[in-house]
Amino acid sequence: MISAGIRYMFFATFFFALMNVFVKTLDLPAVEIAFFRALGSLSLAYGILKVKGIPLPGKNIKGLILRGFFGSTSLIFYFITLQHMPLASAVTIQFLSPIFTTVLGIFLVKESVKPLQWFFFAMAFSGVILIQGFDSRVSIEYLLLGIGSAIFSALAYNMIRMLKNSEHPLVIVFYFPLVTLPITGFFTLFQFEMPKGWDWGIMILIGVLAQLGQYFMTRAYQVDELSKISSMKYLGILYALFFGTVFFDEHFTVQVYVGIGVVLVGVVLNIWYKHVVQKRKALEELE
């Protein structure tokens, strides 16, 4: 029997993967796409809060704004990489965020890191080196932007962890587009390109898909154990490989496929090992 959390994560990863495809199809500045994505997400998020009667503005306004700022920066960088490198490569590099979440957690939430985890970190980064080294479509400039996106995403995740005891999950979701909108709106003023024809519909769809993905991911974390559903996120790599081949005729050398696999193995092993350590510690505290 498939649990509700796994079903929710299946839908979340699928909606996010579709969003990536539509972002890549648009020939518009990434920051402008992020602006319209935030506009659609904000409308939907506010509507859900009103329906559920969840009060605003929240308790820790500073923390919520910081979470929104880190998330918006990550989003802009990520959209740029989606437009300038193969879909699967951009998604794989973004999945380094759990590594950075753990490292930054040392300083932000006082989380300890075991020696074996550093080996997994090195493994993941060696995979990135393989991807960049054997794929001329992945330049150093966009590779660094992708890594920057993962770092800012990790900062956002750590802020979520710091806010989890004071804020409703949907309030945290709401602040992401709320902060993203003015930031991306400012930059869009200087590089606005008028969308044409289907562009308008695609940008609305990006906002809807993003919000659906956020909603189902939030529900997954609410109803199931983190250790049980966290690995489901990496379905995104399979979606990216499939959609990249079908819609963008993207193909890779064996070395790049190996690099993608090495990144995934390093990240997943780190998450698995963290849960093993936490479970062992919890059992020791009960004895």
Side-chain angles (χ1 to χ4, degrees), residues 10 20 34 45 53 57 60-61 76 78 81 94 97 102 121 131 153-154 159 177 179 182 184 192 216 221 239 269 279:
F10 176 83
N20 293 338
N60 187 345
I61 306 299
I76 294 167
Y78 180 47
T81 61
Q94 175 65 19
S97 60
T102 301
F121 299 166
I131 293 170
S153 179
M159 288 306 305
V179 177
T184 54
F192 179 74
F216 280 108
Y221 285 128
Y239 289 136
L269 283 177
K279 190 172 183 179

Side-chain angles (χ1 to χ4, degrees), residues 202-258:
I202 291 173
M203 285 194 292
I204 292 171
L205 191 56
I206 286 170
V208 171
L209 289 169
Q211 192 60 27
L212 286 170
Q214 288 281 357
Y215 173 76
F216 280 108
M217 183 172 289
T218 301
R219 289 292 293 134
Y221 285 128
Q222 286 177 327
V223 303
D224 222 329
E225 296 177 11
L226 179 65
S227 58
K228 190 174 180 180
I229 61 175
S230 58
S231 60
M232 285 289 293
K233 290 190 298 184
Y234 299 99
L235 278 174
I237 294 292
L238 299 180
Y239 289 136
L241 287 168
F242 175 76
F243 289 145
T245 301
V246 172
F247 295 112
F248 306 109
D249 195 30
E250 294 175 349
H251 300 279
F252 301 94
T253 63
V254 172
Q255 292 91 337
V256 175
Y257 281 117
V258 170

Side-chain angles (χ1 to χ4, degrees), residues 60 77 80 88 93 116 118 155 163 213 229 264 286:
N60 187 345
F77 287 176
I80 293 172
I93 294 167
L116 188 56
W118 293 108
L155 286 167
L163 293 165
I229 61 175
L264 281 178
L286 290 174

Side-chain angles (χ1 to χ4, degrees), residues 45 72 95 128 135 141 161 190 204 215 220 222 232 254 281:
S72 64
F95 278 153
V128 172
D135 193 342
E141 175 189 2
R161 291 161 73 183
F190 298 98
I204 292 171
Y215 173 76
Q222 286 177 327
M232 285 289 293
V254 172
K281 184 178 178 181

Side-chain angles (χ1 to χ4, degrees), residues 29-50:
V31 70
E32 184 177 337
I33 300 172
F35 171 79
F36 282 102
R37 185 248 203 217
L39 187 62
S41 294
L42 184 65
S43 303
L44 288 168
Y46 182 72
I48 293 171
L49 286 173
K50 293 296 288 183

Side-chain angles (χ1 to χ4, degrees), residues 5-256:
I6 288 178
R7 289 198 301 272
Y8 284 137
M9 280 299 290
F10 176 83
F11 286 116
T13 53
F14 181 71
F15 287 131
F16 281 132
L18 281 180
M19 182 199 74
N20 293 338
V21 171
F22 286 115
V23 169
K24 195 169 180 63
T25 62
L26 284 175
D27 188 22
L28 293 169
V31 70
E32 184 177 337
I33 300 172
F35 171 79
F36 282 102
R37 185 248 203 217
L39 187 62
S41 294
L42 184 65
S43 303
L44 288 168
Y46 182 72
I48 293 171
L49 286 173
K50 293 296 288 183
V51 168
K52 291 183 173 290
I54 299 168
L56 291 170
K59 299 172 184 176
N60 187 345
I61 306 299
K62 180 180 178 182
L64 288 165
I65 291 174
L66 276 174
R67 182 269 181 267
F69 171 76
F70 294 142
S72 64
T73 305
S74 173
L75 180 70
I76 294 167
F77 287 176
Y78 180 47
F79 279 6
I80 293 172
T81 61
L82 283 175
Q83 292 182 324
H84 291 91
M85 66 172 66
L87 188 61
S89 299
V91 172
T92 301
I93 294 167
Q94 175 65 19
F95 278 153
L96 288 173
S97 60
I99 299 289
F100 292 119
T101 300
T102 301
V103 173
L104 291 170
I106 299 171
F107 309 100
L108 298 177
V109 293
K110 310 304 179 186
E111 186 176 73
S112 61
V113 176
K114 302 296 183 181
L116 188 56
Q117 287 180 270
W118 293 108
F119 171 73
F120 298 146
F121 299 166
M123 180 187 297
F125 276 100
S126 68
V128 172
I129 292 171
L130 279 173
I131 293 170
Q132 200 281 324
F134 287 96
D135 193 342
S136 59
R137 297 168 294 181
V138 180
S139 69
I140 290 292
E141 175 189 2
Y142 292 117
L143 174 65
L144 292 176
L145 275 179
I147 292 174
S149 174
I151 291 173
F152 277 103
S153 179
L155 286 167
Y157 283 133
N158 272 288
M159 288 306 305
I160 291 172
R161 291 161 73 183
M162 295 168 71
L163 293 165
K164 68 178 182 179
N165 294 323
S166 64
E167 306 296 340
H168 192 283
L170 291 176
V171 173
I172 298 174
V173 170
F174 171 77
Y175 267 82
F176 181 17
L178 181 68
V179 177
T180 301
L181 199 62
I183 293 173
T184 54
F186 174 78
F187 289 105
T188 298
L189 286 174
F190 298 98
Q191 51 179 305
F192 179 74
E193 292 184 19
M194 181 61 70
K196 301 174 183 177
W198 285 103
D199 289 350
W200 290 106
I202 291 173
M203 285 194 292
I204 292 171
L205 191 56
I206 286 170
V208 171
L209 289 169
Q211 192 60 27
L212 286 170
Q214 288 281 357
Y215 173 76
F216 280 108
M217 183 172 289
T218 301
R219 289 292 293 134
Y221 285 128
Q222 286 177 327
V223 303
D224 222 329
E225 296 177 11
L226 179 65
S227 58
K228 190 174 180 180
I229 61 175
S230 58
S231 60
M232 285 289 293
K233 290 190 298 184
Y234 299 99
L235 278 174
I237 294 292
L238 299 180
Y239 289 136
L241 287 168
F242 175 76
F243 289 145
T245 301
V246 172
F247 295 112
F248 306 109
D249 195 30
E250 294 175 349
H251 300 279
F252 301 94
T253 63
V254 172
Q255 292 91 337
V256 175

